[in-house]
Amino acid sequence: MTSHQTTQTMKPATAAKKLGVHLEATPAEFQEGVVSRTELNALQADPPQWLLDLRRDGPHPRPVVAAKLGVSISGLARGGVTEALTTEQIDALKQELPEWLQHERATQAEVRKENVRIKAKRAEREEQQS
């Protein structure tokens, strides 16, 4: 009995998400094909110029935009940011520091603080139980 390994493939949208890039900004051949796990690993290990440029300049997908601005994805939506932004646009927002961005950053900081508090409380409870 011979076992043959089937190649794992993914849709371009999934691969773009894993690479942290906006699908619509990738080259046509990337958007139209399927990406194997091996190809994805190769792209991550030795990114081609188009991938380096996209990661540096954007447009960036919303999770990346949110991380660069220090807010949640929901916070972006509440701030009216629904499309991909370039690095230049993100930097401009950081400079302008609109009220919604200040508010969302403060909210995000509170969420992080609360998560740390909850984690510490759980650890304390586990320690008492052992």
Side-chain angles (χ1 to χ4, degrees):
M1 193 189 291
T2 58
S3 68
H4 68 287
Q5 185 131 5
T6 57
T7 306
Q8 265 192 319
T9 59
M10 60 194 84
K11 293 177 181 173
T14 304
K17 192 177 223 174
K18 289 179 181 288
L19 292 169
V21 295
H22 189 59
L23 177 63
E24 286 74 18
T26 61
E29 59 270 14
F30 181 86
Q31 292 181 39
E32 293 161 5
V34 291
V35 181
S36 71
R37 173 72 56 195
T38 307
E39 290 168 329
L40 180 70
N41 291 341
L43 286 169
Q44 288 173 322
D46 186 22
Q49 192 60 48
W50 65 263
L51 183 53
L52 293 171
D53 293 345
L54 265 183
R55 286 179 169 168
R56 184 186 61 240
D57 303 325
H60 303 288
R62 288 184 319 151
V64 174
V65 173
K68 286 179 179 273
L69 289 174
V71 300
S72 66
I73 295 173
S74 318
L76 278 181
R78 285 190 294 270
V81 178
T82 55
E83 71 285 340
L85 297 180
T86 63
T87 301
E88 195 176 306
Q89 291 169 312
I90 293 168
D91 290 344
L93 270 175
K94 286 179 179 178
Q95 289 294 311
E96 292 167 20
L97 210 57
E99 197 172 308
W100 72 264
L101 182 55
Q102 293 174 44
H103 176 74
E104 291 301 333
R105 280 182 167 177
T107 301
Q108 193 70 3
E110 287 299 315
V111 168
R112 283 193 203 102
K113 215 177 348 179
E114 181 64 8
N115 287 342
V116 167
R117 187 191 70 75
I118 290 169
K119 191 174 181 181
K121 191 145 183 107
R122 281 190 189 135
E124 186 182 307
R125 219 180 293 137
E126 286 175 15
E127 185 135 329
Q128 288 174 351
Q129 289 174 352
S130 46

